[in-house]
Amino acid sequence: MPNPIPELLAPAGGHEAACAAFEYGADGIYLGLKQFSARDDAVNFSPEDLSDIVGYARSFSVPRKVYLTLNTLVKEEELPELVACLQLARDLRVDAVIVQDFGVVRLARTLFPEITLHASTQMAIHNKQGAEAAQKIGLSRAIPARELTLKEVADICSTPGMDVEVFVHGALCYAYSGLCLFSAMEHGLSGNRGGCLYTCRNWFDPAGDTPAPKGGMPFAMKDLQLDKQLPELIKAGVAALKIEGRKKSPLYVAAVVNYYRKLLDKSASPDELARLRTDVESIFHRPATALFMDNPRNPRATDIIRGGHQGTAVGVLKQINAKEMTIAVTAAGMQRYDGLQIDIPGQSRPFGFGVTDLSRVIGKQKQRCFEVTVGETALISLNTPPPPGIVAGLTVYRSSSQDVKHRYKWHTPKPGLHRLRTPVDVTVELTGDTVTARCRSEGLQVEDIIAGPFGEARDPAGVEPAVRKAFDKLGDTPFTLNSCHVLNPHARFVPVSRLNDLRRTVTAKLEQQLAEHQENERAVFLERLSDSGETSINSMAPRRVLKTDRVSLLTEFTTAALALADEIIVDISRDSLAALQRGLHTLKKQGVQSLRLALPAVIRERRMNEFMEKITAFIERGQTAWQIANISQLELLDPQKYDVTADWPLYAWNTQAAALYKSLGLKGVTFSPEQTTEDILTVLPGCPLPGTVIVHHDVPLFNSAVCAKASLNQTCPGPETCDFDQMTLRNSKGAVFTAVNHRCETILIGEKPFTRRHDLNTLNQAGAAAFQVNFAWRHYSPTDAETIWRRLTT
């Protein structure tokens, strides 16, 4: 039996985009609140907006789904606000909440078990083990890394009971999502907290004596487009297909959803699909890529020259002068008031212009017109002379289309029309002296009284309908009338204006009581969090930890320098098993007693056997102390059997994340370099696990599956003949970086190491359990590394 058609999920950066998505066939949308959204600069939704759109989604004959993204890392002081967001998600019964932070997972599982949780792509799940581990902590769907091959996606889909959601269209990050610290470390705005400045889409030139190709934008990704891979994804068992674009316009959302809906339903001819694809390209389009879905070493996943909106190709430039140009229209056509642009060879910005005066060329005659179609020649007047470099033969792109804008329409309900409201039961009792209204709703009850006197009704039968009508006018309150029972034994009459006053006062009391109930519930929740377990404040001097990814570096340290380390950690990802065995044997001969082996943040399926061989070999030799950096590694090293700690990519931005790690059996956490010292100081007092602070580190700003050198060259010689080790790059603002080749992936580090050396005393007094010095990615000489180590530990 063939697999069912997956859900088609659309981005909703705001109310209009959500409505457009529903209009053109999205099965569901994903959206963010104004807090804790990985697209912090999208419009996003207020609680009232969210209630509106959830109600609208349920109004369809086949209800649509609404997924709420709380997919950022959360600071300790933000936990009360996070509880309020989860409370809202529960009360509105959103279909699922998409999360990155393990603290959010713990809060939701502990306080709101009825909420369905999905693992964001920010969680960096990239193998089946990651999906299995996520399932065990209560997540029902994984949105894996976008860098995966079809085979890897199918492997994750084989996890019993675990849904898989895959991005099929939209912008790509150069780094694995959730593992990019570039914006945070360079500008103080974290991509993991929704504040990315897209520093990757910048121009970089080779610097120094680095043998490298000419400059460009090696980290500027093309846009993902998997329309041709849909049948294979369906066959693999994918549960949902996701369109990226919460910052895109409602028009873009409408057009992309329309295209993929008709692809999935097979409801359009090839000609119509081609037209719908050009619609999308006219609205927003970078050159497209399938990334690694078909080719695990794709050197053309980046657009190293342009980086921005290109549009859809409409023709070829035939002639041009200072005042006009002629274009052979070969595709799509153009109309007056469209926007066109032409790429200038060697430049990142195109020449863009509007079509304000359009003519059709027939022979030697020109005929002013509104539209020029395929097969004709267009003559366009220019308001400004073209820049140098615009020559005949270049492709002309339509970057804005009036026709497309006019063809896509969608219904936008009036705000509040579908808002979810709490049912309320009302009893109104009339006497000669008073009218009493009692309101009950979900365990809450209030009453209010207005004084008379009230005379006899001329039309007793009309009193009850009048009361019902008055109390049915609940307007913008969070309530809807469920029932209204009228007690009027003496047939009294009450003016409508008095009934309206009574309705307003009694519902205001109920609304206040509801707000107080929610606030009290949050207070109880927060009290539960404060009593969630013992803290692990360190009363001893912080342990000194030395970490490297090249064991040979430490074997050149003096015995006295090694003796300063309370623990040594070796990342086993870069050295061969034989080199690791030799180096660790040497360290033990030099007197090293406490040795921990570490795994990297990413272990793709193609390297899993290599790592399993290393893990097995060292466990057989009695190795028990390990450090993991991804949720998947809980499946490789059972914390109930071994002494396992968490490296910083298993983020510990709050005590709740650390509490979850503790419940899984982990013995310690490591704070991220992008956490400020103040951030760490807020976590340490209540942290249930010993916390390690990194005080020296060449932070991997990028951890990318895309080779930087292959990107600049737009070709890859293959790993067998590749001589790329590292290259130095300088961006347009003069900042210098080093791109390191790691097994055909790229790690980017800054010109200088990150340090917290000036905050050691403060962190020591706050209870940091360990200070860690990292020597990874940069080529340190043993002498330089030992000098740095001694300076930071003595």
Side-chain angles (χ1 to χ4, degrees):
M1 173 180 275
N3 288 331
I5 295 176
E7 291 179 5
L8 179 60
L9 300 183
H15 186 78
E16 282 283 319
C19 294
F22 290 149
E23 187 80 24
Y24 285 91
D27 297 302
I29 56 172
Y30 63 100
L31 51 80
L33 294 170
K34 296 186 184 295
Q35 316 96 321
F36 311 122
S37 167
R39 291 293 180 265
D40 191 44
D41 48 359
V43 175
N44 291 318
F45 287 72
S46 68
E48 294 77 17
D49 296 333
L50 180 59
S51 179
D52 277 352
I53 208 63
V54 171
Y56 183 44
R58 292 176 186 161
S59 72
F60 290 88
S61 57
V62 177
R64 313 297 175 85
K65 294 185 177 181
V66 177
Y67 299 131
L68 176 62
T69 60
L70 296 178
N71 59 339
T72 62
L73 300 176
V74 179
K75 294 186 179 184
E76 182 71 16
E77 64 269 24
E78 295 170 338
L79 291 178
E81 188 178 6
L82 174 65
V83 169
C85 292
L86 288 169
Q87 189 181 40
L88 177 68
R90 178 205 62 189
D91 292 344
L92 296 180
R93 298 188 299 279
V94 298
D95 292 281
V97 175
I98 303 171
V99 300
Q100 173 190 13
D101 193 314
F102 288 97
V104 182
V105 175
R106 185 176 189 273
L107 275 176
R109 291 277 65 81
T110 303
L111 305 180
F112 306 98
E114 60 270 59
I115 293 178
T116 299
L117 296 180
H118 292 174
S120 169
T121 190
Q122 295 287 117
M123 206 174 272
I125 291 174
H126 55 274
N127 52 36
K128 185 175 182 179
Q129 290 84 356
E132 291 170 340
Q135 187 179 48
K136 289 177 182 178
I137 63 171
L139 297 156
S140 62
R141 175 177 291 184
I143 309 169
R146 282 170 261 206
E147 291 81 359
L148 303 188
T149 64
L150 180 64
K151 182 178 181 297
E152 288 172 309
V153 170
D155 191 38
I156 294 175
C157 287
S158 69
T159 307
M162 189 65 157
D163 283 351
V164 176
E165 180 177 307
V166 173
F167 279 96
V168 293
H169 194 99
L172 289 167
C173 294
Y174 181 75
Y176 287 98
S177 292
L179 299 178
C180 178
L181 305 190
F182 198 7
S183 181
M185 302 307 294
E186 292 300 305
H187 304 289
L189 291 171
S190 169
N192 284 313
R193 286 178 47 79
C196 181
L197 287 182
Y198 307 103
T199 43
C200 50
R201 296 189 182 275
N202 203 333
W203 190 276
F204 291 81
D205 286 305
D209 56 357
T210 299
K214 62 182 180 180
M217 295 186 288
F219 313 132
M221 298 295 291
K222 294 177 179 177
D223 275 5
L224 185 67
Q225 186 169 319
L226 299 182
D227 50 351
K228 295 179 181 177
Q229 286 77 18
L230 293 188
E232 294 171 298
L233 289 170
I234 294 171
K235 183 179 179 182
V238 168
L241 304 172
K242 189 170 194 173
I243 298 164
E244 184 277 338
R246 279 192 284 151
K247 292 173 63 179
K248 299 293 199 307
S249 69
L251 178 63
Y252 172 87
V253 172
V256 179
V257 169
N258 190 38
Y259 176 56
Y260 279 89
R261 180 78 274 158
K262 292 188 174 178
L263 272 174
L264 289 171
D265 294 346
K266 300 179 181 179
S267 59
S269 67
D271 287 345
E272 183 182 1
L273 288 172
R275 180 180 63 79
L276 297 178
R277 189 165 54 247
T278 62
D279 285 354
V280 175
E281 292 174 353
S282 293
I283 299 164
F284 187 88
H285 173 69
R286 295 187 182 100
T289 178
L291 197 52
F292 304 114
M293 190 59 58
D294 303 321
N295 177 8
R297 303 199 191 283
N298 179 4
R300 295 182 175 272
T302 52
D303 183 9
I304 63 171
I305 298 298
R306 187 182 304 98
H309 173 42
Q310 182 180 53
T312 189
V314 293
V316 178
L317 183 62
K318 293 180 66 176
Q319 294 179 330
I320 187 167
N321 57 45
K323 295 183 178 180
E324 59 186 21
M325 67 172 63
T326 56
I327 301 169
V329 180
T330 58
M334 67 182 71
Q335 295 180 350
R336 195 184 304 166
Y337 310 120
D338 283 354
L340 302 181
Q341 64 184 38
I342 302 173
D343 292 335
I344 305 172
Q347 297 189 30
S348 60
R349 293 184 177 275
F351 169 50
F353 54 96
V355 181
T356 57
D357 186 54
L358 179 64
S359 298
R360 181 184 298 110
V361 177
I362 304 174
K364 295 183 178 182
Q365 303 295 317
K366 67 177 183 178
Q367 182 183 75
R368 292 193 69 191
C369 59
F370 178 77
E371 180 178 20
V372 177
T373 59
V374 175
E376 297 180 325
T377 299
L379 176 66
I380 299 172
S381 299
L382 299 176
N383 295 323
T384 58
I390 301 294
V391 296
L394 294 177
T395 300
V396 181
Y397 297 91
R398 186 179 70 193
S399 55
S400 176
S401 167
Q402 296 302 309
D403 177 52
V404 171
K405 291 177 182 178
H406 293 148
R407 277 193 287 107
Y408 287 87
K409 308 291 182 183
W410 52 87
H411 171 65
T412 305
K414 180 181 177 182
L417 179 62
H418 296 282
R419 187 165 300 168
L420 297 176
R421 303 181 193 277
T422 303
V424 60
D425 297 303
V426 177
T427 299
V428 180
E429 183 176 0
L430 290 74
T431 69
D433 298 321
T434 61
V435 178
T436 303
R438 299 180 182 88
C439 293
R440 296 180 179 85
S441 178
E442 296 188 353
L444 306 178
Q445 179 175 326
V446 298
E447 73 171 44
D448 199 40
I449 302 173
I450 58 173
F454 301 106
E456 293 185 7
R458 294 180 181 178
D459 178 17
V463 174
E464 183 170 340
V467 173
R468 291 178 181 276
K469 184 176 180 181
F471 277 84
D472 198 32
K473 297 177 180 178
L474 292 173
D476 287 334
T477 71
F479 307 111
T480 184
L481 186 64
N482 182 54
S483 68
C484 183
H485 184 49
V486 180
L487 303 175
N488 190 13
H490 303 295
R492 298 296 178 174
F493 169 77
V494 182
V496 171
S497 61
R498 300 296 305 277
L499 289 172
N500 288 338
D501 288 341
L502 181 60
R503 182 200 69 238
R504 281 189 285 267
T505 56
V506 75
T507 53
K509 284 185 176 181
L510 186 61
E511 190 167 355
Q512 180 180 356
Q513 192 175 102
L514 176 61
E516 290 172 353
H517 170 74
Q518 292 172 335
E519 183 62 35
N520 291 337
E521 184 184 45
R522 286 195 291 273
V524 171
F525 288 157
L526 293 172
E527 186 176 356
R528 286 176 61 187
L529 297 184
S530 64
D531 296 334
S532 59
E534 295 182 1
T535 60
S536 183
I537 290 293
N538 179 49
S539 59
M540 308 291 289
R543 298 166 62 248
R544 295 166 296 187
V545 179
L546 176 59
K547 183 175 181 178
T548 185
D549 61 352
R550 296 286 180 143
V551 67
S552 59
L553 177 71
L554 299 189
T555 60
E556 297 297 319
F557 273 37
T558 63
T559 301
L562 291 175
L564 293 172
D566 297 298
E567 181 174 73
I568 286 176
I569 303 177
V570 176
D571 183 330
I572 65 172
S573 63
R574 300 191 75 186
D575 287 328
S576 68
L577 175 58
L580 285 167
Q581 290 172 329
R582 289 193 302 270
L584 297 181
H585 179 70
T586 300
L587 290 179
K588 288 182 178 180
K589 287 176 62 178
Q590 291 175 286
V592 172
Q593 299 295 319
S594 182
L595 182 65
R596 187 176 299 272
L597 300 185
L599 302 182
V602 177
I603 301 178
R604 296 286 290 275
E605 185 270 339
R606 58 178 173 263
R607 293 192 67 192
M608 186 59 72
N609 288 340
E610 172 196 337
F611 278 96
M612 290 309 302
E613 181 184 9
K614 290 178 178 178
I615 291 170
T616 301
F618 287 115
I619 286 177
E620 288 177 349
R621 292 189 173 203
Q623 180 67 35
T624 59
W626 296 86
Q627 185 182 71
I628 63 174
N630 185 273
I631 185 175
S632 63
Q633 293 154 17
L634 291 166
E635 298 296 298
L636 307 182
L637 291 161
D638 185 351
Q640 305 300 329
K641 293 182 179 179
Y642 305 106
D643 172 8
V644 183
T645 60
D647 198 2
W648 64 260
L650 279 171
Y651 295 108
W653 280 68
N654 54 71
T655 53
Q656 291 304 303
L660 178 63
Y661 300 146
K662 182 177 181 179
S663 72
L664 296 172
L666 297 182
K667 303 301 190 295
V669 295
T670 307
F671 297 112
S672 168
E674 72 168 319
Q675 287 174 272
T676 66
T677 296
E678 289 71 25
D679 292 334
I680 296 172
L681 291 174
T682 63
V683 180
L684 278 172
C687 191
L689 286 174
T692 295
V693 178
I694 298 172
V695 298
H696 175 95
H697 190 18
D698 290 290
V699 178
L701 306 174
F702 285 155
N703 186 340
S704 176
V706 180
C707 173
K709 187 171 183 180
S711 173
L712 284 174
N713 282 327
Q714 293 289 284
T715 186
C716 171
E720 297 81 9
T721 59
C722 178
D723 61 355
F724 172 40
D725 178 37
Q726 65 178 44
M727 63 178 174
T728 305
L729 298 169
R730 178 180 284 108
N731 72 10
S732 57
K733 295 184 179 180
V736 175
F737 305 91
T738 299
V740 180
N741 178 28
H742 176 50
R743 303 288 188 95
C744 297
E745 298 196 345
T746 293
I747 304 295
L748 189 76
I749 60 176
E751 184 175 15
K752 296 179 179 179
F754 161 80
T755 182
R756 288 193 205 271
R757 62 179 299 186
H758 301 296
D759 298 328
L760 297 187
N761 288 336
T762 302
L763 290 161
N764 181 9
Q765 294 170 9
F771 291 147
Q772 180 174 304
V773 177
N774 284 6
F775 296 113
W777 305 119
R778 191 182 301 279
H779 288 323
Y780 287 94
S781 71
T783 300
D784 289 344
E786 182 169 330
T787 299
I788 294 169
W789 168 244
R790 285 179 176 275
R791 186 174 70 242
L792 290 170
T793 53
T794 57

